[in-house]
Amino acid sequence: MSLIDDLLDDAREHMDKSVDSTRAKFGSIRTGRASTALLDRINVDYYGAQTPLKQLATVSAPEARLLTIQPYDKSSIKNIERAILESDVGLTPNNDGQIIRLQVPELTEERRKDLVKVVRNLAEEGRVAIRNIRRDVMHDLRELRDAGEAGSDDEHRAEEALQKLTDEKVKELDAVLKAKEEEILEV
């Protein structure tokens, strides 16, 4: 019986990670407000190595529509600006030789709708990941039954528990999606 419990605990842990991963991806999607998470995915060519922006500079959001980036090494300003321009963030950097400023403009209605589509696709990827975990655990449960290590009643109960867990995690993901959509569409 403990093998089945281990499988279910493992499934819960992996599903939690899928939800957290999707939530983190949502954080890097731009809304009308400035958020330092917007720049999390940006890597800068720093002396020939792709380095995360966070490791090269202090990123802050001093105002609702402004991000500032203060590089530790002033000579990296041009590379940081290039990385931001080449990214999908859609912001134009300005610098005064010390600090890079990114104005976060109001989103147009069309851009908001595009971002909602992006967020929905990310949520669907999260749901698929959760369903894949369920499929793998179902397979493992069948193998346990076939090997004689678990009875078919135990397997059936575990499958029901797994389905309940899957539904719970998909619901959690949908709630996160709904909140992010509202945040994007908020004017």
Side-chain angles (χ1 to χ4, degrees), residues 13 16 18 39 46 80 118 121 154 160 167 169 178:
E13 189 179 316
D16 283 339
S18 292
L39 305 176
Y46 188 64
I80 292 173
V118 168
N121 286 338
D154 291 337
E160 284 179 350
D167 294 344
K169 291 301 165 188
K178 188 174 188 298

Side-chain angles (χ1 to χ4, degrees), residues 150-170:
S152 60
D153 287 349
D154 291 337
E155 180 210 9
H156 185 69
R157 267 194 297 279
E159 284 180 0
E160 284 179 350
L162 182 63
Q163 186 57 50
K164 206 166 153 187
L165 176 65
T166 303
D167 294 344
E168 179 187 310
K169 291 301 165 188
V170 167

Side-chain angles (χ1 to χ4, degrees), residues 7-162:
L7 282 174
L8 291 175
D9 288 345
D10 200 40
R12 174 179 294 280
E13 189 179 316
H14 281 84
M15 287 181 184
D16 283 339
K17 285 181 183 168
S18 292
V19 172
D20 290 343
S21 168
T22 303
R23 189 178 281 130
K25 287 177 186 169
F26 283 178
S28 68
I29 301 292
R30 193 171 116 207
T31 58
R33 260 182 251 113
S35 162
T36 58
L38 290 176
L39 305 176
D40 283 354
R41 292 177 299 155
I42 293 183
N43 287 318
V44 179
D45 180 13
Y46 188 64
Y47 294 108
Q50 287 298 313
T51 311
L53 177 60
K54 279 184 182 172
Q55 293 178 13
L56 297 176
T58 302
V59 180
S60 59
E63 298 171 24
R65 300 211 175 282
L66 179 71
L67 286 173
T68 60
I69 303 163
Q70 188 158 17
Y72 304 128
D73 174 6
K74 303 290 180 240
S75 67
S76 66
I77 284 185
K78 289 283 177 239
N79 289 352
I80 292 173
E81 284 187 326
R82 186 177 310 114
I84 292 168
L85 287 169
E86 291 171 356
S87 74
D88 60 357
V89 179
L91 298 174
T92 308
N94 298 316
N95 86 70
D96 61 8
Q98 303 287 318
I99 293 178
I100 299 171
R101 289 181 180 77
L102 297 172
Q103 286 292 331
V104 179
E106 284 281 349
L107 293 172
T108 63
E109 192 61 34
E110 187 179 326
R111 182 70 179 136
R112 287 177 197 277
K113 287 179 178 153
D114 289 345
L115 289 173
V116 166
K117 285 180 192 163
V118 168
V119 169
R120 286 182 179 158
N121 286 338
L122 289 173
E124 186 53 35
E125 286 173 18
R127 285 189 211 102
V128 167
I130 289 171
R131 289 193 291 263
N132 286 343
I133 293 164
R134 181 191 62 192
R135 183 198 62 217
D136 293 345
V137 173
M138 290 284 214
H139 178 77
D140 293 343
L141 287 170
R142 286 193 196 97
E143 281 184 351
L144 280 179
R145 185 198 60 204
D146 294 345
E149 293 181 39
S152 60
D153 287 349
D154 291 337
E155 180 210 9
H156 185 69
R157 267 194 297 279
E159 284 180 0
E160 284 179 350
L162 182 63

